[in-house]
Amino acid sequence: MSIHFKKKSAGTKQEVPTASMPDIVFMLLIFFMVTTVLREIELQVRVNYTQAENIEKIEQKRLVSYIYVGPEKLGPNQVGETKVQIDDAIIDDIGEIQGIMADKLTDQPKLIVSIRMDEDSETGILTDIQEELRDANALRINYSTKQETQPGGN
Amino acid sequence: MLIKKRQRDSAEIPSSSLADIAFLLLIFFLLVTTIDVDTGIGLVLPPAPQENQQPPPIKERNILNILVNEEGLVLMDEEPTPVGQVKTKVKEFIDNNGQNPELSDSPEDAVISIKTSRQTPYSIYIDMFDEVVGAYAELRNAAAQAEFGVNYSALEEDSPAQEKIADMYPKQISIAEPDPGEGE
């Protein structure tokens, strides 16, 4: 004959209540869904940002359209001529920029064009791009730069 | 005698896996999110010139010509200037208020005209541009401090106070057209 021992148990529950966990997770999920900007494009040109002191933040990322300017990446550690990239494609004819930007402007009237240009590129191409933007009436632009680490440097 | 209550099967959808599904989605969005903030120098380009329209006449003294050549040397109104001094000179020029006959009549009239050679490196152009923008930022800050006791950036966006300061020192930066003879 065996004796059955009664299991001792505390009067209170010892578990952390997990009923609200889905709610918390959903809240986080919604936060990240809202802040995410999907589809980071693949860069086909090299862009090393320049630094500047008097910079401002662009709060509304959804208004921004990027133009990348820099030497074309040909392979590891190998770069070619300076090219212009908008979205996924390299633009060979600068004259096409006007049409592309005019289309974007109809979709987003408050468009900001952010120019991400390699620090070693020459400004001639920038002047051409700006002329195109003026013709397309996309007048709000932004030179993408990083914060200067040492203020007063240079 | 007590009648036993009949136990029914619950008609609910099982929701125990809800948390797992939500976690999975959460992790996906965590991975694809980039929280880097875009920074840069903002600028509004002048609208494209109309056909047969002459540029408005501007008095010579109200224009500060900044030229940057292919070697990165800066010329301000015919005077070679190191990049580090551009800000001081621009501030002097804008805030002259008619004292020096060589410099601007008033901040509202002052126009900075920037011209670069096609071969100028972008980094030097940005350094110089940064100085010009910095000059305006310092002047606006000083005006906002005097008027409201706070920095310009602390003023509310699009508020009358901010507009007032911006109107005192309007950013009039002209980027000269590339072909020679067209600028000014």
Side-chain angles (χ1 to χ4, degrees):
Chain A
M1 246 202 189
S2 59
I3 305 157
H4 289 277
F5 288 103
K6 223 183 192 175
K7 223 182 187 178
K8 244 193 215 167
S9 64
T12 51
K13 266 191 187 168
Q14 283 178 333
E15 277 161 37
V16 179
T18 54
S20 56
M21 192 164 74
D23 302 349
I24 297 164
V25 173
F26 266 116
M27 213 167 70
L28 283 168
L29 177 62
I30 287 161
F31 168 74
F32 279 102
M33 279 179 77
V34 169
T35 53
T36 299
V37 177
L38 280 177
R39 216 173 75 92
E40 189 77 359
I41 65 154
E42 201 169 310
L43 272 182
Q44 295 173 47
V45 294
R46 188 197 70 191
V47 176
N48 289 335
Y49 295 106
T50 50
Q51 298 187 338
E53 269 176 70
N54 300 287
I55 56 174
E56 50 196 56
K57 286 179 191 158
I58 308 175
E59 306 283 358
Q60 301 124 311
K61 258 194 167 177
R62 274 157 213 279
L63 303 183
V64 181
S65 170
Y66 298 100
I67 297 180
Y68 300 89
V69 185
E72 189 179 6
K73 283 182 192 161
L74 297 175
N77 305 320
Q78 228 189 344
V79 289
E81 273 180 74
T82 299
K83 289 275 171 73
V84 180
Q85 183 188 353
I86 298 176
D87 292 340
D88 281 330
I90 289 209
I91 310 289
D92 287 315
D93 179 15
I94 297 280
E96 289 172 29
I97 295 176
Q98 185 189 339
I100 297 168
M101 283 302 148
D103 283 348
K104 291 194 178 210
L105 203 67
T106 33
D107 289 344
Q108 176 56 265
K110 289 158 91 182
L111 184 78
I112 302 171
V113 180
S114 178
I115 298 175
R116 297 186 151 178
M117 191 157 163
D118 189 74
E119 56 181 346
D120 296 328
S121 298
E122 293 170 350
T123 48
I125 197 156
L126 178 74
T127 320
D128 295 342
I129 293 170
Q130 283 178 165
E131 283 304 303
E132 288 293 315
L133 292 177
R134 281 177 68 183
D135 289 338
N137 211 26
L139 301 177
R140 281 179 80 187
I141 65 165
N142 190 294
Y143 299 126
S144 206
T145 54
K146 292 271 172 273
Q147 177 71 57
E148 197 149 28
T149 36
Q150 289 161 319
N154 268 319
Chain B
M1 248 225 207
L2 284 165
I3 301 165
K4 229 185 186 177
K5 231 184 188 172
R6 247 234 241 129
Q7 197 87 43
R8 276 215 187 160
D9 283 344
S10 68
E12 278 164 39
I13 301 165
S15 59
S16 55
S17 56
L18 189 72
D20 301 349
I21 296 164
F23 261 120
L24 209 81
L25 284 167
L26 175 63
I27 287 162
F28 169 72
F29 279 101
L30 264 170
L31 289 182
V32 297
T33 302
T34 46
I35 309 199
D36 60 320
V37 189
D38 257 359
T39 51
I41 302 174
L43 169 74
V44 179
L45 293 173
Q50 302 288 314
E51 291 291 316
N52 309 321
Q53 191 199 348
Q54 292 297 312
I58 301 169
K59 264 198 266 172
E60 184 57 44
R61 65 179 288 191
N62 286 329
I63 302 178
L64 178 68
N65 284 302
I66 302 181
L67 284 143
V68 189
N69 74 356
E70 49 268 43
E71 283 158 45
L73 300 170
V74 181
L75 204 65
M76 292 176 78
D77 270 350
E78 319 296 314
E79 216 179 294
T81 316
V83 175
Q85 281 175 29
V86 170
K87 194 201 279 179
T88 333
K89 290 193 96 176
V90 169
K91 274 176 76 178
E92 231 171 75
F93 166 76
I94 299 167
D95 220 10
N96 181 52
N97 286 314
Q99 285 162 4
N100 186 335
E102 301 272 295
L103 304 178
S104 74
D105 278 321
S106 71
E108 291 102 80
D109 293 324
V111 175
I112 315 281
S113 168
I114 294 170
K115 204 164 192 175
T116 57
S117 147
R118 285 192 75 87
Q119 278 80 42
T120 308
Y122 183 61
S123 53
I124 296 188
Y125 170 72
I126 287 294
D127 278 345
M128 186 274 305
F129 201 80
D130 188 26
E131 292 279 318
V132 175
V133 175
Y136 273 105
E138 281 185 16
L139 287 170
R140 284 180 174 184
N141 268 344
Q145 282 285 2
E147 200 92 4
F148 307 104
V150 287
N151 271 348
Y152 179 72
S153 55
L155 294 172
E156 209 178 303
E157 202 72 30
D158 295 325
S159 64
Q162 196 194 37
E163 267 169 35
K164 188 182 170 194
I165 302 293
D167 286 344
M168 278 169 79
Y169 293 105
K171 251 185 222 174
Q172 295 181 115
I173 301 171
S174 136
I175 293 163
E177 267 122 88
D179 49 339
E182 182 74 60
E184 288 183 63

